[in-house]
Amino acid sequence: MNNKYEIGIEDFRFYITVTDYHHQPAQGPSADSDWDCYGYTEIDWECTQVLEYDEDGNESEVTVDIAKYSELIEQELLNVIADEMSDQDYY
């Protein structure tokens, strides 16, 4: 798994470093907890840089409220990592 990603949302490019990732597949009704029963995925990440692109394609570093975009970033990260894992027949 790669730990550095570029995520595009709106006119921004977020540069993300994944610091921790854990995927627990569903274990069914005999699992020790409901989390293990249904499975879960946890991810920790930090944003190292945000670039904004204007209509001419020029980029500039900007400061944005990461909390505003965190759910979208996390969902995109999980999608990209799932694709990486399925490409490796690992997921």
Side-chain angles (χ1 to χ4, degrees):
M1 176 179 77
N2 183 6
N3 72 337
K4 296 193 183 290
Y5 297 91
E6 294 179 26
I7 304 295
I9 300 173
E10 297 174 356
D11 293 330
F12 300 111
R13 172 85 36 201
F14 295 87
Y15 290 84
I16 306 296
T17 299
V18 173
T19 56
D20 191 37
Y21 173 84
H22 178 76
H23 174 72
Q24 176 62 54
Q27 296 178 349
S30 62
D32 293 334
S33 71
D34 59 339
W35 280 51
D36 292 340
C37 176
Y38 297 107
Y40 63 94
T41 302
E42 292 180 339
I43 188 168
D44 293 324
W45 54 272
E46 60 184 31
C47 182
T48 58
Q49 184 181 35
V50 181
L51 298 180
E52 182 177 34
Y53 292 89
D54 64 18
E55 60 276 351
D56 296 326
N58 300 315
E59 64 184 25
S60 58
E61 189 167 357
V62 294
T63 302
V64 298
D65 180 9
I66 298 298
K68 178 180 174 182
Y69 296 95
S70 65
E71 287 183 32
L72 294 170
I73 292 169
E74 189 165 312
Q75 188 57 54
E76 185 62 26
L77 283 171
L78 292 174
N79 290 340
V80 170
I81 291 170
D83 287 346
E84 284 181 357
M85 296 298 184
S86 67
D87 288 346
Q88 298 174 8
D89 284 332
Y90 177 77
Y91 194 77

